[in-house]
Amino acid sequence: GAPAAAVTVGGLGLCRIRGSCPGTEGAVAVRDGGPVEATASLDATAVRTGNRKRDADLQGKHFFRTAEHPRIRVRSTGITPDGDGWTVTAALAVAGGEAPVELRVDPQPGTTPGTVRITITGVLDRAGTPIRAPRWLIGRRVAMDVQATLSPR
């Protein structure tokens, strides 16, 4: 099923910004009890941070460029077991560009039967993306903390 994501981003000025970005699709292929491939797509046109002006700025030409690129896509390029979770190398496509990112994925039981809640953390080097904004506004390295709930089809 599609991921439902709550996102916290560090590196926006002096504070951390919390928001949500609904998933449009997502899939995790499992073999021998563990994930071997994962993809997700988020609707960048629906990002919500609680501040309409900031949301419009995020959707504009300096950030997500949602008029031309309405989706943020993530696809795994490698998944390695790591303790109770996984280390995932991935390609993150945003604003018409693609950048590598390493993610930590930690699973927890979901709140309803058959679901899994995952916490995904990582740091995106935005220099590899088309996102352009002054460094005082958003740092080169952007910390991500995503909470998502996965359910079987």
Side-chain angles (χ1 to χ4, degrees):
V7 181
T8 301
V9 176
L12 292 174
L14 298 175
C15 61
R16 296 177 71 78
I17 303 299
R18 297 186 200 298
S20 64
C21 192
T24 58
E25 61 186 345
V28 177
V30 176
R31 189 168 38 244
D32 297 327
V36 293
E37 183 178 38
T39 60
S41 179
L42 302 174
D43 183 356
T45 67
V47 66
R48 299 291 180 267
T49 65
N51 179 308
R52 287 187 192 154
K53 181 174 178 355
R54 180 173 46 227
D55 295 347
D57 287 344
L58 287 171
Q59 294 172 20
K61 65 181 181 177
H62 296 295
F63 290 96
F64 298 147
R65 302 175 186 189
T66 60
E68 299 86 21
H69 309 284
R71 302 285 181 260
I72 298 170
R73 299 183 194 282
V74 180
R75 68 177 165 76
S76 65
T77 56
I79 300 176
T80 305
D82 186 0
D84 291 335
W86 302 274
T87 297
V88 178
T89 54
L92 186 141
V94 61
E98 189 173 273
V101 64
E102 185 171 297
L103 305 168
R104 169 71 194 173
V105 179
D106 291 299
Q108 297 292 323
T111 56
T112 57
T115 63
V116 176
R117 186 154 176 81
I118 57 173
T119 299
I120 305 166
T121 55
V123 176
L124 173 68
D125 182 349
R126 74 175 178 93
T129 73
I131 296 172
R132 299 293 175 254
R135 283 201 182 170
W136 62 265
L137 181 62
I138 179 172
R140 177 177 168 178
R141 288 176 175 67
V142 179
M144 301 176 292
D145 182 346
V146 178
Q147 306 292 320
T149 300
L150 306 176
S151 59
R153 291 182 185 199

